[in-house]
Amino acid sequence: MRKKVTKAIFPVAGMGTRFLPATKSVPKEIMTLVDRPLVQYAIDEARAAGIKEFIFVTSRGKGALEDYFDHAPQLEQELRKKGKTELLETLKSTNMESGAIAYIRQHKALGLGHAVWCARRLIGNEPFAVMLPDDVIAAEKPCLQQMVEAYAETGGNMVAAMEVAPENISSYGVLDISEEEGQLVKVKGMVEKPEAAKAPSNLAVIGRYILSPSVLQNLNQMKSGSGGEIQLTDAIAKDIEQDNNVYGFRFRGKRFDCGSKSGFLQATVSFGLAREELRDDLRSYLRSISLDENA
Ligand code: G1P
């Protein structure tokens, strides 16, 4: 029997400089889409996929993240006193079972591969997920759940994949494809942020991974790659050289790049429109400004 994926790593050590000055004092992952921080969307998706242990790789200044997942007795008491049961219910999704969440510091900003490697002792010898909270995916069935189901059939390593425009491909890890079958793509190579002209395909890696522990061993020996950082992409590519399987998974859903301001705004509008209590107001506002180009 294949081991179940029950642990997920959330690399959240980045400084979020693209969102300065906000991120001077607020971790990027706490920035909100409508009324929930980015990280809550990732946690909900992980829970739906059966994840039981949540490992955050953090850095200095990310204290608000730890507080967010803590109980808030005073606030809860206050809400209870006022009979605000709905709000109390909302707060429940932010609470973690004691011992289910762990924080590890990445002491140096050496890249995504290094961040994942920092969690190696908590992973041990099991398959694990990696989720990048910047990539928010709206989907009928949450993306990681789709992947866990596909992984139950394939094993190996699996990365979420999506076609991107050629002019954007150099911002991503890119798949070199050997076979395609439905949503699954067998991968024969991977390159981190190639020049557009040298990209092996237009199929980009999106921030959801299911990885085997051999990738952590590869990270032990990894030297810095693209941008002078230790790249997760390179450690996964090395697994292919060692005859382990890597699959790209074309997920069903809409991905928002919330690491960019434009992506963040698009996600805000889209998640706002998805909320019944906001839909009508927001829609009529959007209609009014699309009629008035100067707004
Ligand atoms: C990271 C990964 C890259 C992947 C991307 C998805 O890059 O290194 O392979 O395609 O996430 O969002 P970053 O966006 O952190 O530079």
Side-chain angles (χ1 to χ4, degrees), residues 181-255:
E181 204 193 310
Q183 282 177 274
L184 279 178
V185 174
K186 184 98 184 284
V187 174
K188 62 174 184 218
M190 282 170 82
V191 204
E192 180 68 11
K193 304 196 172 79
E195 282 172 39
K198 291 188 183 152
S201 75
N202 60 349
L203 206 54
V205 176
I206 300 304
R208 302 288 183 276
Y209 307 76
I210 297 177
L211 300 175
S212 62
S214 51
V215 171
L216 292 176
Q217 278 147 31
N218 299 343
L219 281 169
N220 277 330
Q221 295 138 33
M222 225 71 233
K223 305 225 163 54
S224 44
S226 164
E229 297 187 332
I230 295 175
Q231 295 297 348
L232 186 58
T233 300
D234 296 343
I236 304 171
K238 193 157 181 217
D239 235 32
I240 307 174
E241 286 166 28
Q242 291 163 172
D243 283 339
N244 293 320
N245 288 331
V246 175
Y247 300 93
F249 180 76
R250 294 175 190 265
F251 57 93
R252 296 208 166 89
K254 165 104 182 97
R255 174 255 186 176

Side-chain angles (χ1 to χ4, degrees), residues 35-287:
D35 51 11
R36 298 156 62 203
L38 278 185
V39 70
Q40 181 73 54
Y41 291 88
I43 289 287
D44 289 348
E45 188 181 326
R47 280 186 172 136
I51 298 297
K52 305 280 183 244
E53 290 182 52
F54 306 82
I55 304 163
F56 283 79
V57 182
T58 68
S59 60
R60 187 173 289 271
K62 299 280 179 164
L65 261 173
E66 296 195 29
D67 289 344
Y68 179 77
F69 289 114
D70 204 351
H71 283 258
Q74 226 176 346
L75 174 62
E76 286 163 25
Q77 200 185 352
E78 205 53 34
L79 293 175
R80 210 165 291 123
K81 225 167 48 193
K82 292 188 176 146
K84 308 232 168 187
T85 40
E86 233 173 84
L87 286 178
L88 271 169
E89 207 45 45
T90 310
L91 277 188
K92 269 196 189 151
S93 64
T94 68
N95 289 157
M96 288 282 182
E97 192 198 328
S98 295
I101 190 161
Y103 300 93
I104 292 198
R105 281 225 175 167
Q106 183 185 22
H107 296 112
K108 288 184 186 165
L110 295 178
L112 178 60
H114 179 259
V116 168
W117 179 78
C118 287
R120 67 198 176 283
R121 293 205 174 88
L122 291 182
I123 297 296
N125 196 28
E126 290 179 35
F128 60 99
V130 177
M131 300 185 76
L132 310 186
D134 270 3
D135 282 330
V136 175
I137 301 171
E140 218 164 281
K141 183 185 280 186
C143 179
L144 192 67
Q145 190 184 349
Q146 297 177 35
M147 289 173 72
V148 161
E149 287 173 9
Y151 171 83
E153 305 291 323
T154 62
N157 297 286
M158 188 175 283
V159 299
M162 182 183 110
E163 250 133 51
V164 302
E167 62 271 27
N168 297 329
I169 198 76
S170 57
S171 304
Y172 295 91
V174 182
L175 302 181
D176 193 356
I177 301 164
S178 70
E179 289 165 46
E180 300 213 39
E181 204 193 310
Q183 282 177 274
L184 279 178
V185 174
K186 184 98 184 284
V187 174
K188 62 174 184 218
M190 282 170 82
V191 204
E192 180 68 11
K193 304 196 172 79
E195 282 172 39
K198 291 188 183 152
S201 75
N202 60 349
L203 206 54
V205 176
I206 300 304
R208 302 288 183 276
Y209 307 76
I210 297 177
L211 300 175
S212 62
S214 51
V215 171
L216 292 176
Q217 278 147 31
N218 299 343
L219 281 169
N220 277 330
Q221 295 138 33
M222 225 71 233
K223 305 225 163 54
S224 44
S226 164
E229 297 187 332
I230 295 175
Q231 295 297 348
L232 186 58
T233 300
D234 296 343
I236 304 171
K238 193 157 181 217
D239 235 32
I240 307 174
E241 286 166 28
Q242 291 163 172
D243 283 339
N244 293 320
N245 288 331
V246 175
Y247 300 93
F249 180 76
R250 294 175 190 265
F251 57 93
R252 296 208 166 89
K254 165 104 182 97
R255 174 255 186 176
F256 295 94
D257 174 10
C258 290
S260 81
K261 286 176 206 171
S262 166
F264 196 97
L265 290 170
Q266 288 169 33
T268 302
V269 172
S270 181
F271 281 86
L273 286 172
R275 295 276 283 266
E276 211 178 316
E277 74 276 23
L278 300 174
R279 188 176 301 148
D280 289 350
D281 251 12
L282 190 53
R283 200 179 273 158
S284 66
Y285 173 66
L286 290 172
R287 260 197 215 114

